[in-house]
């Protein structure tokens, strides 16, 4: 009897110890991912500033290496990184504040033109067969009060970002100061889990990919902003520098940034110059932005980070939903982080990594 019980116990342990089927593992993984991202969504007000600070530190961190090679003490090299990071944040903040200020200041001067344009859109839509309520609803976006309210809403949002900006500044200091120690500790911990070579390779590819991504985006964004601003100035669209700044910022939003940057100047062109000027603005953006941002830039981005176009577009929507508007700008680094943490060290995840767009060389190096 005792032997039977022992045998039964062994059989039960063996049955319990059998590995899960691939489908079961996938379901468990998806369930864990849902729980994880739900937690990120609930903590988005805390995590979004930390994510922005981490990306800025990653971009500025290479400044310390040549300084340390020249004999600078660690604290002074860290200070240099903090200064560069603060300069990046300051430039972006000044550009956004200036653009919003110029736009709000312009609205009172265009109140009459906005009202007349709204009336003209009402008449045009009514002539197409739409009922008067439908036409009025469709033209409400040209009402001066509605545009002013939207501008104030943007200003309120900026104030909220300014509050989070304080935490970003603090995070930058802490992350930079702890950078060297974190590198050594993270390398040691990950080496115990993945192996030293693999851990170092994953970290190096991730940080390098993030830097290359923002260098590519900043370069193309500057080119697009200059060309858009000059051509908008040439055709007579007011405050072209504001729309150039908007084009530069929205260039950091993959795939849909072009549309976001086009809508405001196109509406303003309709108000000040009618349909011909609006169509001219749309044509300008289609020629410049579509060629550079849609046809040329994705190739450089894909080479820099190894993400497929489909996954890049999905990342924008997903991360904007999870952590808010800043998620659209940080979507590619966040997706790269997920791939680095959960898939790059797994030799069985080659198919997933290949579908994500990772190149063959990276696949062989990582797994």
């Amino acid at each position: 009897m005792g032997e039977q019980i022992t045998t039964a116990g062994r059989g039960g342990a063996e049955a319990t110890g059998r590995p899960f089927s691939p489908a079961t593992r996938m379901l468990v993984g998806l369930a864990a991912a849902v729980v994880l991202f739900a937690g990120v969504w609930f903590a988005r007000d805390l995590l979004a500033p930390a994510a922005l600070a981490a990306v800025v530190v990653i971009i500025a961190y290479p400044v310390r290496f040549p300084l340390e090679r020249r004999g600078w003490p660690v604290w002074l090299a860290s200070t240099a990184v903090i200064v560069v990071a603060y300069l990046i944040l300051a430039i972006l903040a000044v550009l956004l504040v200036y653009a919003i200020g110029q736009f709000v200041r312009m609205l009172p001067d265009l109140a009459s033109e906005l009202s007349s344009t709204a009336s003209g859109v009402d008449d045009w839509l009514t002539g197409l067969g739409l009922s008067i309520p439908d036409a009025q609803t469709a033209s409400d976006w040209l009402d001066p009060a509605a545009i002013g309210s939207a501008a104030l809403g943007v200003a309120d949002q900026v104030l909220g970002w300014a509050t989070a900006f304080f935490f970003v500044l603090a995070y930058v200091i802490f992350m930079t100061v702890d950078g060297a120690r974190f590198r050594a500790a993270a390398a040691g911990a990950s080496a115990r889990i993945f192996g030293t070579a693999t851990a170092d390779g994953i970290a190096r590819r991730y940080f390098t990919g993030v830097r290359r991504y923002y260098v590519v985006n900043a370069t193309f964004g500057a080119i697009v902003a200059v060309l858009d601003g000059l051509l908008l100035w040439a055709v007579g669209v007011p405050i072209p520098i504001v729309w150039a700044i908007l084009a530069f910022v929205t260039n950091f939003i993959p795939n849909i940034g072009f549309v976001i940057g086009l809508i405001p100047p196109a509406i303003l062109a309709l108000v000040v110059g009618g349909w011909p000027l609006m169509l001219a603005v749309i044509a300008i953006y289609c020629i410049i932005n579509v060629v550079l941002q849609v046809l040329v830039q994705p190739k450089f981005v894909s080479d820099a980070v190894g993400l497929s176009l489909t996954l890049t577009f999905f990342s924008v929507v997903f991360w904007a939903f999870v952590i808010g508007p800043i998620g659209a700008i940080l979507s590619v680094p966040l997706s790269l982080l997920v791939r680095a943490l959960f898939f790059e060290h797994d030799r069985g995840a080659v198919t997933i990594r290949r579908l994500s767009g990772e190149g063959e060389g990276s696949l062989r190096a990582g797994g």
Side-chain angles (χ1 to χ4, degrees), residues 1-354:
M1 176 66 72
E3 294 178 357
Q4 292 177 354
I5 294 175
T6 303
T7 304
R10 291 175 181 171
E14 292 174 358
T16 305
R18 282 202 300 265
F20 292 117
S21 66
T24 303
R25 289 199 301 270
M26 181 178 295
L27 289 176
V28 172
L30 289 175
V34 170
V35 173
L36 173 63
F37 289 120
V40 172
W41 183 83
F42 280 109
R44 62 189 180 278
D45 292 337
L46 296 175
L47 295 178
L52 176 59
V55 168
V56 173
V57 170
I58 289 173
I59 295 172
Y61 203 78
V63 171
R64 76 179 306 141
F65 300 138
L67 300 180
E68 290 179 346
R69 285 196 295 268
R70 293 179 181 179
W72 285 37
V74 174
W75 68 268
L76 194 55
S78 297
T79 302
V81 174
I82 293 172
V83 170
V84 172
Y86 278 6
L87 285 175
I88 295 172
L89 293 172
I91 292 172
L92 292 176
V94 168
L95 290 177
L96 291 175
V97 170
Y98 174 80
I100 293 173
Q102 290 295 315
F103 179 70
V104 173
R105 187 182 306 168
M106 177 199 66
L107 286 178
D109 299 332
L110 295 177
S112 59
E113 288 89 344
L114 287 168
S115 298
S116 61
T117 302
S119 299
V121 171
D122 282 342
D123 296 337
W124 177 66
L125 293 175
T126 303
L128 293 178
L130 293 177
S131 63
I132 293 179
D134 292 337
Q136 290 177 343
T137 300
S139 64
D140 280 345
W141 47 271
L142 285 174
D143 182 71
I147 295 180
S149 177
L152 290 176
V154 172
D156 290 340
Q157 186 70 37
V158 170
L159 289 177
W161 290 348
T163 302
F165 193 70
F166 169 79
F167 293 99
V168 173
L169 297 179
Y171 283 134
V172 166
I173 295 176
F174 300 144
M175 291 178 181
T176 302
V177 171
D178 290 339
R181 183 173 57 186
F182 174 78
R183 274 190 305 159
S190 56
R192 290 192 297 269
I193 300 174
F194 310 130
T196 303
T198 302
D200 291 344
I202 290 173
R204 187 164 47 251
R205 284 196 299 274
Y206 173 71
F207 294 137
T208 302
V210 170
R211 294 186 194 108
R212 286 178 177 174
Y213 170 73
Y214 281 108
V215 167
V216 169
N217 270 15
T219 302
F220 277 92
I223 295 172
V224 167
V226 170
L227 294 177
D228 286 345
L230 289 176
L231 289 175
L232 290 176
W233 171 77
V235 299
V237 176
I239 53 173
I241 189 172
V242 171
W243 313 126
I245 293 172
L246 181 63
F248 175 76
V249 174
T250 55
N251 187 68
F252 290 93
I253 303 177
N255 304 115
I256 62 175
F258 154 67
V259 178
I260 298 174
L262 167 63
I263 293 175
I267 293 176
L268 184 59
L270 174 64
V271 171
V272 300
W275 293 103
L277 185 57
M278 180 181 181
L279 294 176
V281 169
I282 294 175
I284 289 172
Y285 270 70
C286 287
I287 293 173
I288 296 175
N289 296 51
V290 169
V291 170
L292 290 178
Q293 291 178 302
V294 178
L295 299 180
V296 179
Q297 182 176 339
K299 169 60 178 174
F300 287 87
V301 171
S302 178
D303 292 342
V305 301
L307 282 182
S308 65
L309 295 179
T310 302
L311 183 58
T312 301
F313 178 76
F314 175 77
S315 297
V316 174
V317 179
F318 177 79
W319 289 111
F321 170 77
V322 172
I323 64 173
I326 193 66
I329 296 177
L330 302 179
S331 58
V332 169
L334 291 173
S335 295
L336 290 176
L337 180 61
V338 171
R339 187 174 70 183
L341 290 178
F342 297 104
F343 298 111
E344 286 206 23
H345 63 276
D346 187 355
R347 296 180 180 273
V350 173
T351 301
I352 295 177
R353 289 156 54 192
R354 184 177 289 115

